[in-house]
Amino acid sequence: MSGVVIAQPGQNKPAEMVMMQAPVNVTVPAGLPPGLAYLASLDEIRIHQQLQLLEVIVGWERNNRYFICNNQEQQFMAAKEDTDCLTRQFCGTARPFVINITDTQGMQLIQLHRPFRCQGSCLWCCCLQEMDIQSPPGISIGQVKEVWTCWIPKYKIYDNNNVCVFTIVGECCYCKCCTDVLFRVFEGDSEAEEVATIVKHWGGCREMFGAANDFSVRLPPQMDLMKKTLLFGSTFLIDFNYFEYRGNN
């Protein structure tokens, strides 16, 4: 890996970051985009939100952008929010959004759709967050839905047959400074077997002033590709719900 610049969690993308080599001899299930082969053998997916200086300086909310890497910080995907300007400014982090996830050549692989849901309302238990995950765009492969609890973040991930494939349980204190925040992922509809974790990394000043967040999804390399895609996609909803701090919310 000569010449590779490694970006640690909490850092913005280095200019010399290399791209992940395309996997070989990987079979993608029928109906899914071939570009998802990158996910097939990974045991960790790193999601880095790009720091946008104009947003920091003028406080004008822009579409979020992310780059997606393996555990060697080699990029293999990118993600970009597609929300109109007025919606971003007036709805803040509660805004409806579409996020397009592409390979490094710009080919669309995954699309995330979240409808508008009130946040901070006395009726919040009736306005739980949810998001549809499509791959390829236009074809739903599952949904992630918030579960009402008194204290802790909790989500269920469903496949396109409405079968619960994962339960995500977060920590009761998810706004901690100077430390990582852990979300535990359990198989199916119970909390008996932990199979993966989603880690929100503390990003220091970059996070405090720029609201640029970093996540790691740690999961078994042999996990079913469809399930990997659903778990990876659900991380973006967790980001918006808890870690997108803005003055207009």
Side-chain angles (χ1 to χ4, degrees):
M1 295 182 60
S2 175
V4 176
V5 177
I6 302 297
Q8 300 300 323
Q11 296 180 346
N12 206 20
K13 179 183 177 181
E16 300 179 27
M17 181 181 290
V18 299
M19 300 300 174
M20 178 179 172
Q21 292 185 352
V24 295
N25 300 323
V26 175
T27 302
V28 175
L32 292 178
L36 291 184
Y38 283 99
L39 296 176
S41 62
L42 294 184
D43 62 359
E44 183 174 353
I45 305 166
R46 296 184 179 179
I47 303 170
H48 300 299
Q49 185 176 355
Q50 296 184 23
L51 178 63
Q52 303 192 63
L53 293 179
L54 182 62
E55 183 176 298
V56 175
I57 295 170
V58 304
W60 190 257
E61 178 76 13
R62 305 187 69 192
N63 279 318
N64 286 355
R65 295 173 181 265
Y66 308 81
F67 54 97
I68 318 301
C69 305
N70 61 15
N71 61 6
Q72 297 298 310
E73 292 297 350
Q74 298 169 324
Q75 185 181 358
F76 62 93
M77 288 183 187
K80 180 182 180 297
E81 179 188 358
D82 183 12
T83 307
D84 67 81
C85 182
L86 288 178
T87 299
R88 292 196 307 272
Q89 309 319 315
F90 289 104
C91 296
T93 59
R95 64 186 180 265
F97 64 66
V98 173
I99 291 179
N100 291 297
I101 302 176
T102 64
D103 63 16
T104 55
Q105 304 303 313
M107 181 67 67
Q108 287 197 349
L109 304 177
I110 305 168
Q111 197 170 74
L112 311 175
H113 291 257
R114 182 180 81 161
F116 175 77
R117 288 290 187 273
C118 293
Q119 291 179 322
S121 167
C122 61
L123 298 177
W124 70 272
C125 59
C126 301
C127 300
L128 297 174
Q129 302 290 325
E130 61 181 49
M131 186 177 70
D132 187 54
I133 302 172
Q134 301 177 2
S135 184
I139 306 218
S140 178
I141 61 170
Q143 297 82 37
V144 52
K145 298 181 180 182
E146 185 179 15
V147 178
W148 185 88
T149 68
C150 292
W151 302 108
I152 61 173
K154 189 172 183 179
Y155 295 85
K156 301 282 187 181
I157 301 178
Y158 299 88
D159 63 17
N160 58 354
N161 294 315
N162 204 33
V163 174
C164 182
V165 293
F166 294 119
T167 299
I168 302 175
V169 180
E171 301 180 54
C172 60
C173 183
Y174 51 80
C175 54
K176 299 182 292 185
C177 291
C178 305
T179 186
D180 293 347
V181 180
L182 178 67
F183 293 80
R184 302 166 68 195
V185 181
F186 298 90
E187 185 78 25
D189 200 20
S190 70
E191 297 175 30
E193 182 183 359
E194 184 174 338
V195 294
T197 57
I198 298 172
V199 182
K200 159 63 177 60
H201 297 286
W202 168 244
C205 292
R206 174 175 174 266
E207 176 180 334
M208 293 174 63
F209 298 106
N213 301 314
D214 299 283
F215 291 83
S216 292
V217 184
R218 296 167 182 168
L219 67 184
Q222 71 276 10
M223 180 182 284
D224 177 79
L225 183 56
M226 183 79 76
K227 290 184 176 181
K228 277 190 177 183
T229 305
L230 291 171
L231 186 57
F232 164 54
S234 69
T235 307
F236 293 88
L237 183 61
I238 290 173
D239 178 33
F240 268 82
N241 283 352
Y242 304 113
F243 304 107
E244 285 289 305
Y245 305 118
R246 291 290 182 266
N248 58 347
N249 294 290

